[in-house]
Amino acid sequence: MRIAVINPNTTASMTATIGDAARRVANPSTVIDAITSSMGPASIEGYYDEALAVPGLLVEIARAEKQGAAAAVIACFDDTGLDAARALAAIPVVGICEAALASTAFIAQRFSVVTTMERSRIPIEALVHRYGMTGRCRVRAADIPVLSLEDPQSNARDRLRSEIAAALKDDRAEAIVLGCAGMADLCLDLWREFSVPVVDGVAAAVKQAEALVAMGLSTAKRSAYARPVDKRYDGAMEAFAPSAMGV
């Protein structure tokens, strides 16, 4: 099967990290297409960035489906544009936050998400509530810019480690969820360092996507995720009219 793993920001180096993480866990017969959005912010940190990343994400979702992808993964822990993508596509679309929380719930009673910025913590807390994990999961921010994770001269990784240590002590977390796709390459090292399960959402989403395809399941097309109603879209959004998107 072919799975499109879409980075909804425009930083290609982060897409490479995401693609490597996806391929490490994918079945040998699964082809991973790691895709960088062609429009939008360089990183997604808060509501404004998230909103402006959605159009580019939807373009890539539509293109991947037309090119034969069996499923798509949205590789941003905000689950950016997830509901819109599910309405647009006939193939399964998996968000890395939802997949990570669900996977961690199988192996730990209490766990903590450690994300990047405080402004990102608030949307992730809302997702934790939406996905029914409020009583089991706490969200923490290490106060590190997303792009600093790629800078070896920054102290981002040390601050991430400090926040994980605090989560294990103060939250009594039994497992840690990495709350940013740009952290995907740190998962194994952190697991070894802290001796607790460390869950990467990219890996969790790829395995969930494979499972949905193997079971022959896709997104329901009644009610919430019904196909978009075709109508005129004006101005800069003209190309996003459902008929123009091939829906």
Side-chain angles (χ1 to χ4, degrees):
M1 74 180 73
R2 183 177 297 273
I3 296 177
V5 180
I6 300 169
N7 175 13
N9 74 42
T10 59
T11 300
S13 55
M14 189 174 295
T15 306
T17 297
I18 290 165
D20 288 343
R23 293 183 186 100
R24 277 197 296 272
V25 300
N27 290 332
S29 60
T30 298
V31 175
I32 299 294
D33 293 328
I35 300 166
T36 307
S37 180
S38 62
M39 66 177 86
S43 63
I44 298 173
E45 295 165 308
Y47 293 119
Y48 186 81
D49 291 342
E50 184 178 354
L52 293 178
V54 173
L57 167 73
L58 295 179
V59 168
E60 301 303 337
I61 291 279
R63 181 180 293 132
E65 184 173 15
K66 289 174 185 175
Q67 292 177 349
V73 168
I74 298 176
C76 174
F77 210 83
D78 290 357
D79 283 355
T80 301
L82 179 59
D83 288 329
R86 285 175 171 167
L88 173 67
I91 58 176
V93 182
V94 181
I96 67 171
C97 178
E98 186 173 19
L101 297 181
S103 297
T104 309
F106 286 122
I107 59 172
Q109 188 60 234
R110 296 171 61 89
F111 51 95
S112 295
V113 173
V114 181
T115 190
T116 51
M117 305 286 285
E118 176 65 17
R119 68 179 60 194
S120 298
R121 183 182 66 81
I122 305 302
I124 293 172
E125 280 191 340
L127 290 176
V128 167
H129 178 73
R130 170 179 170 171
Y131 299 144
M133 298 290 181
T134 302
R136 301 174 64 178
C137 177
R138 181 176 178 185
V139 184
R140 290 175 164 268
D143 289 324
I144 50 179
V146 170
L147 297 179
S148 70
L149 290 164
E150 299 188 334
D151 180 5
Q153 303 304 314
S154 77
N155 66 346
R157 298 189 179 195
D158 289 338
R159 295 183 73 169
L160 174 62
R161 288 182 170 90
S162 295
E163 202 63 37
I164 290 173
L168 296 175
K169 179 182 177 182
D170 299 337
D171 305 347
R172 298 184 179 180
E174 301 161 9
I176 298 296
V177 178
L178 299 179
C180 176
M183 300 174 181
D185 59 332
L186 305 178
C187 187
L188 186 57
D189 286 345
L190 293 172
W191 192 337
R192 289 169 175 162
E193 179 177 347
F194 290 99
S195 300
V196 296
V198 178
V199 179
D200 159 42
V202 174
V206 166
K207 299 312 291 183
Q208 187 60 61
E210 287 181 332
L212 290 170
V213 174
M215 290 188 288
L217 298 176
S218 191
T219 307
K221 287 300 172 186
R222 297 184 63 183
S223 191
Y225 295 134
R227 295 283 193 180
V229 176
D230 193 26
K231 65 190 75 172
R232 189 185 73 251
Y233 280 48
D234 296 325
M237 293 287 103
E238 182 178 358
F240 290 90
S243 57
M245 295 286 284
V247 177

